[in-house]
């Protein structure tokens, strides 16, 4: 009887423990996070670890490969095409992200005003971002065609030039052409996200500034920009990451040409790994992108923390 009583007490304690666990918010939160963690491990952590391992082997397509340490990275440090792709990637990211932010902020401020047909205008602004990237790239490929370019045709008819511009045949023309295509595609994301941030700013702040006689520029500098800075940090982080890792736009328009002048690290990695068959070297190029991406994330993160500190936040 004593043994049965002790067993019953143990069962009651165990059931009450599970009851308390299921009623605990921390336990339920952890349980709901398990599927997300599993997905992240399967689709993010595992491919990242596999890519890092492949970057330290001489694996070819169809072959197992062997461990060679940092030999791929050493050979890349002496590869002029790789360093050209690093320059192209940084130039492409900085130029496109800066212009996207400037145009996106202007459009957000404009769409935040009381305009006729505001909803229709917002839908039109979103169109470039909604259209599939490959379709946009093919459209720009035709726009930049050396014989049938609509831009060159318009400029010739206007008497501004005498012959068609070689957009994709000249290295610097090609760089600026793909930057322009990326700007056209990325501006809607920046504009709509900043517009959402603008609509969270209390109108009472602007009313108080108007009573104090503040100008439009003063209201923008002392109210809009500080209140919008956390959103700007997040938006620019995503914008930089998406631009830095861009592949479809470049590969469809130029495939890295002419003479590797538009090769980004992402497209060069694909060329070396898939087209060239050297999976180890391609993975090493992909791994070389990680420090740049981490630096961009940390820059935005500390910028966001600074803006919160300025506004009196603790976290």
């Amino acid at each position: 009887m004593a043994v049965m009583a002790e067993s019953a007490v143990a069962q009651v304690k165990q059931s009450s423990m599970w009851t308390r666990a299921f009623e605990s918010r921390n336990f339920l939160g952890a349980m709901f996070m398990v599927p997300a963690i599993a997905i992240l491990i399967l689709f993010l952590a595992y491919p990242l670890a596999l890519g890092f391992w492949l970057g330290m082997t001489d694996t070819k397509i169809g072959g197992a490969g062997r461990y060679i340490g940092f030999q791929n990275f050493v050979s890349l440090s002496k590869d002029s095409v790789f360093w050209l792709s690093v320059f192209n990637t940084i130039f492409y990211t900085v130029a496109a992200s800066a212009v996207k932010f400037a145009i996106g902020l202007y459009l957000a401020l404009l769409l935040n005003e009381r305009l006729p047909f505001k909803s229709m205008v917002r839908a039109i602004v979103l169109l470039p971002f909604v259209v599939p990237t490959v379709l946009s790239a093919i459209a720009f490929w035709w726009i930049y065609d050396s014989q049938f370019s609509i831009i060159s045709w318009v400029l010739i008819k206007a008497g501004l030039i005498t012959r068609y511009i070689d957009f994709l045949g000249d290295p610097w023309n090609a760089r600026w052409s793909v930057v322009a295509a990326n700007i056209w595609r990325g501006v809607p994301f920046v504009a709509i996200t900043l517009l959402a941030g603008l609509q969270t700013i209390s109108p009472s702040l602007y009313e108080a500034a108007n009573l104090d006689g503040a100008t439009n520029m003063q209201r923008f500098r002392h109210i809009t920009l500080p209140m919008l800075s956390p959103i700007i940090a997040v938006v620019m982080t995503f914008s930089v990451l998406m631009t830095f890792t861009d592949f479809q736009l470049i590969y469809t328009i130029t495939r890295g040409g002419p003479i590797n002048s538009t090769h980004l690290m992402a497209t060069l990695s694909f060329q070396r790994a898939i087209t060239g068959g050297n999976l180890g070297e391609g993975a090493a190029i992909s791994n070389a992108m990680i420090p740049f991406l981490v630096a961009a994330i940390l820059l935005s993160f500390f910028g966001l923390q600074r803006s919160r500190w300025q506004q009196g936040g603790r976290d």
Side-chain angles (χ1 to χ4, degrees):
M1 293 293 293
V3 174
M4 294 178 61
E6 290 179 0
S7 176
V9 171
Q11 290 180 359
V12 170
K13 288 183 178 180
Q14 186 176 8
S15 62
S16 62
M17 180 183 67
W18 281 107
T19 302
R20 288 195 302 270
F22 278 109
E23 291 177 352
S24 171
R25 296 177 61 183
N26 294 334
F27 179 80
L28 288 177
M31 292 298 294
F32 282 124
M33 287 178 63
V34 168
I37 293 173
I39 291 173
L40 289 175
I41 292 175
L42 181 62
F43 295 106
L44 183 63
Y46 172 71
L48 185 63
L50 179 61
F52 184 75
W53 167 252
L54 286 175
M56 304 185 74
T57 66
D58 61 352
T59 305
K60 312 285 185 183
I61 291 181
R66 59 187 177 84
Y67 177 79
I68 58 174
F70 292 95
Q71 186 174 327
N72 284 326
F73 298 95
V74 173
S75 63
L76 285 177
S77 67
K78 303 174 184 178
D79 189 342
S80 60
V81 177
F82 168 73
W83 287 112
L84 179 61
S85 73
V86 173
F87 167 77
N88 292 336
T89 305
I90 295 174
F91 170 78
Y92 180 76
T93 302
V94 172
S97 298
V99 179
K100 281 189 289 188
F101 171 70
I103 298 177
L105 180 59
Y106 173 77
L107 285 176
L109 293 171
L110 187 64
L111 293 174
N112 198 41
E113 300 294 329
R114 302 192 177 200
L115 299 174
F117 307 108
K118 184 187 293 186
S119 300
M120 184 181 298
V121 173
R122 291 179 182 176
I124 293 172
V125 168
L126 267 177
L127 280 178
F129 192 71
V130 174
V131 175
T133 305
V134 174
L135 293 182
S136 301
I138 293 173
F140 274 98
W141 182 64
W142 277 102
I143 290 172
Y144 294 144
D145 188 85
S146 59
Q147 295 181 347
F148 306 104
S149 170
I150 185 65
I151 299 176
S152 296
W153 182 82
V154 170
L155 293 177
I156 288 175
K157 291 299 182 181
L160 299 176
I161 60 175
T162 57
R163 60 178 182 176
Y164 275 59
I165 301 172
D166 190 7
F167 286 103
L168 303 181
D170 177 79
W172 276 104
N173 284 351
R175 288 189 181 104
W176 285 113
S177 296
V178 293
V179 166
N182 183 272
I183 290 170
W184 180 85
R185 176 158 177 77
V187 161
F189 169 75
V190 178
I192 296 301
T193 310
L194 292 181
L195 175 61
L198 285 172
Q199 294 182 342
T200 64
I201 301 176
S202 175
S204 61
L205 297 175
Y206 294 106
E207 294 172 1
N210 287 332
L211 293 176
D212 291 337
T215 63
N216 289 335
M217 182 57 68
Q218 288 173 331
R219 289 198 298 270
F220 173 77
R221 180 182 175 185
H222 297 289
I223 298 177
T224 304
L225 207 55
M227 298 297 294
L228 201 61
S229 57
I231 304 297
I232 292 174
V234 174
V235 169
M236 292 311 296
T237 298
F238 281 100
S239 178
V240 167
L241 293 181
M242 289 188 293
T243 307
F244 193 90
T245 57
D246 195 6
F247 171 82
Q248 297 180 67
L249 202 64
I250 299 294
Y251 196 76
T252 305
I253 296 177
T254 65
R255 293 183 181 267
I259 55 173
N260 300 314
S261 60
T262 59
H263 250 319
L264 304 186
M265 297 174 74
T267 57
L268 183 64
S269 173
F270 177 84
Q271 185 190 66
R272 297 283 177 88
I274 307 302
T275 308
N278 193 338
L279 291 177
E281 187 176 2
I285 296 173
S286 296
N287 293 332
M289 299 169 63
I290 295 175
F292 296 98
L293 298 175
V294 171
I297 292 172
L298 290 178
L299 185 64
S300 297
F301 174 77
F302 286 114
L304 179 60
Q305 294 299 316
R306 181 173 178 270
S307 67
R308 287 181 176 178
W309 175 78
Q310 289 176 338
Q311 295 173 21
R314 296 179 59 185
D315 298 327

